[in-house]
Amino acid sequence: MNIIVAGIGNLLMGDDGLGIHAIHAMKEAPRISGITILDVGTSALAVAADLAQADYLLFIDAIHAGGQPGVVHQFSGDRIAPPKSPRSLHEYGVSHVLAQMDSVHRPREIIVVGLEPGALDFGMNLSDPVAQALPALVEAAWQIVNRWRSLPVHNPRRHVDQLQESIP
């Protein structure tokens, strides 16, 4: 089983970097076989092919849902709206990565978890409400990963890949 946890965001823009802060906190835990924790930053499109190889994919990012700063949000990757045309490469995000994945090379489950941001100004510090909520976000991420780890190992995608290779 291949689980990828991908932190998204820009560390130089305050709470926009909360996905990276969460990833760094997760990397402090002992390494677990089958789990890859990636600091994607603002380069989500550059690692899209790697992310597509996951059996389960968890994105951690700032989520603008109109709530109070620091509120934890979680939803299925299937609920992400199709991407808008970005103005620069730095605007490629989760929706763009998911649009690049075809149905054969798409993880079995994709979840996005994050916090409502407060301050998106220049600076590397998180706002107080987001910094205080970061441990809850990291705990939510570990709960998702542990749920996936408890599932039986079964990946029909790998079988489809093997069938395609055997067709002359």
Side-chain angles (χ1 to χ4, degrees):
M1 180 180 306
N2 183 18
I3 298 170
I4 296 179
V5 181
I8 308 286
N10 185 340
L11 276 176
L12 301 177
M13 293 298 295
D15 291 348
D16 187 61
L18 68 88
I20 309 307
H21 288 280
I23 290 299
H24 290 177
M26 291 182 80
K27 283 185 173 183
E28 292 176 7
R31 181 159 167 63
I32 301 171
S33 177
I35 299 174
T36 303
I37 299 175
L38 293 176
D39 177 343
V40 174
T42 59
S43 303
L45 201 58
V47 295
D50 296 325
L51 297 177
Q53 298 306 310
D55 296 314
Y56 298 92
L57 178 57
L58 175 63
F59 287 105
I60 304 177
D61 199 2
I63 299 174
H64 305 273
Q68 293 294 317
V71 171
V72 177
H73 298 290
Q74 176 181 322
F75 55 91
S76 167
D78 296 335
R79 292 188 43 211
I80 295 177
K84 297 177 184 174
S85 295
R87 294 177 298 230
S88 78
L89 290 176
H90 293 288
E91 291 185 354
Y92 279 89
V94 173
S95 63
H96 297 93
V97 171
L98 296 179
Q100 297 296 316
M101 294 179 187
D102 62 36
S103 60
V104 174
H105 294 98
R106 191 174 178 92
R108 293 185 67 198
E109 186 176 5
I110 301 168
I111 294 179
V112 182
V113 65
L115 298 173
E116 186 76 39
L120 299 174
D121 301 323
F122 286 110
M124 294 185 67
N125 294 326
L126 297 173
S127 66
D128 287 342
V130 169
Q132 291 171 5
L134 193 65
L137 173 63
V138 171
E139 178 60 29
W142 278 120
Q143 286 177 2
I144 294 164
V145 167
N146 287 330
R147 179 177 62 82
W148 286 336
R149 289 181 61 224
S150 71
L151 296 174
V153 178
H154 170 67
N155 190 350
R157 290 182 322 125
R158 304 284 188 242
H159 182 67
V160 169
D161 290 344
Q162 291 168 352
L163 286 175
Q164 288 175 342
E165 290 172 3
S166 67
I167 297 173

